[in-house]
Amino acid sequence: MRNATLPPAIPRLQTPRLILRAIDPGDADDIFAYAADPEVARYTLWRAHTSIEESRQFIAWLTRVSVACWALVHPDTGHVIGTSFLHSYHAQHQRAAIAFNLAKALWGQGYATEAAHAVMRAGFMYYGLNRIEGTCMLGHVASARVMEKVGMRCEGMLRQYVWAKDAFHDLKLYAILRMDMQECSGG
């Protein structure tokens, strides 16, 4: 079995339209600007932020629960427009899960797909993963579509898998393997 050791620092990533860098407590204002929107929080496990302090706590939570969390920075403005992170890391099984969120003004423009693809590649390249999973609530068609666009396959439904916002929620489970990613990129 391969030794899955973590890199000493979260690698900086770049896509054609985004810079992905380690999230920082100083990102709270930018995160609050989009995370306060109830539509952005609708299909997440967290409620819309009501204060900058909640955004600071959100950043602290992300850095605790994730093996790597990237701020999605729009290079033209320098503002954080979302996050993407790898969480639920299992070194022995060489797997983790991906999650992402994005400012509503940028929905439907391919930014989430770009970010998810970059984070998946980093998961395989820097974190020695063999499998990356992703989940979304059943009604979150856009998130499911992003996972499909980056080559993840739907593996089924996790019934009443999470408790959030005073209710149990079913989740669709997606996954991609290292060999799937290599097939998609031709090598």
Side-chain angles (χ1 to χ4, degrees):
M1 171 142 88
R2 295 168 23 135
N3 180 12
T5 57
L6 301 178
I10 295 171
R12 182 181 172 94
L13 310 173
Q14 190 149 356
T15 71
R17 300 180 298 159
L18 291 171
I19 296 167
L20 287 76
R21 59 155 173 79
I23 197 166
D24 181 87
D27 297 328
D29 288 340
D30 286 350
I31 289 176
F32 179 72
Y34 73 82
D37 185 336
E39 282 299 304
V40 171
R42 180 176 180 192
Y43 293 111
T44 68
L45 301 181
W46 43 271
R47 294 185 190 276
H49 297 190
T50 59
S51 69
I52 297 290
E53 182 54 35
E54 280 187 35
S55 295
R56 285 188 193 102
Q57 292 171 3
F58 179 67
I59 292 168
W61 174 77
L62 283 175
T63 56
R64 275 194 317 274
V65 301
S66 65
V67 64
C69 183
W70 288 269
L72 312 181
V73 179
H74 196 287
D76 294 342
T77 65
H79 289 289
V80 174
I81 59 167
T83 63
S84 187
F85 52 101
L86 294 170
H87 63 94
S88 303
Y89 174 69
H90 296 277
Q92 177 183 355
H93 304 296
Q94 299 174 22
R95 75 171 182 255
I98 188 173
F100 46 87
N101 56 70
L102 185 68
K104 184 179 177 182
L106 299 168
W107 289 0
Q109 298 177 40
Y111 286 103
T113 302
E114 267 184 50
H117 194 263
V119 169
M120 285 184 353
R121 290 181 71 79
F124 293 126
M125 182 183 305
Y126 298 110
Y127 296 89
L129 299 176
N130 181 61
R131 176 182 170 91
I132 298 175
E133 299 173 347
T135 58
C136 65
M137 291 184 187
L138 295 186
H140 202 327
V141 175
S143 185
R145 186 68 187 121
V146 166
M147 289 186 277
E148 291 165 0
K149 283 181 183 178
V150 297
M152 298 178 90
R153 298 179 188 165
C154 184
E155 294 187 340
M157 184 176 67
L158 302 167
R159 296 174 55 223
Q160 296 189 2
Y161 195 70
V162 295
W163 173 264
K165 302 173 186 166
D166 305 319
F168 283 106
H169 299 273
D170 297 339
L171 300 180
K172 286 179 80 173
L173 173 65
Y174 286 82
I176 188 167
L177 304 178
R178 173 186 290 275
M179 67 182 187
D180 298 334
M181 190 80 162
Q182 290 170 338
E183 289 170 8
C184 290
S185 64

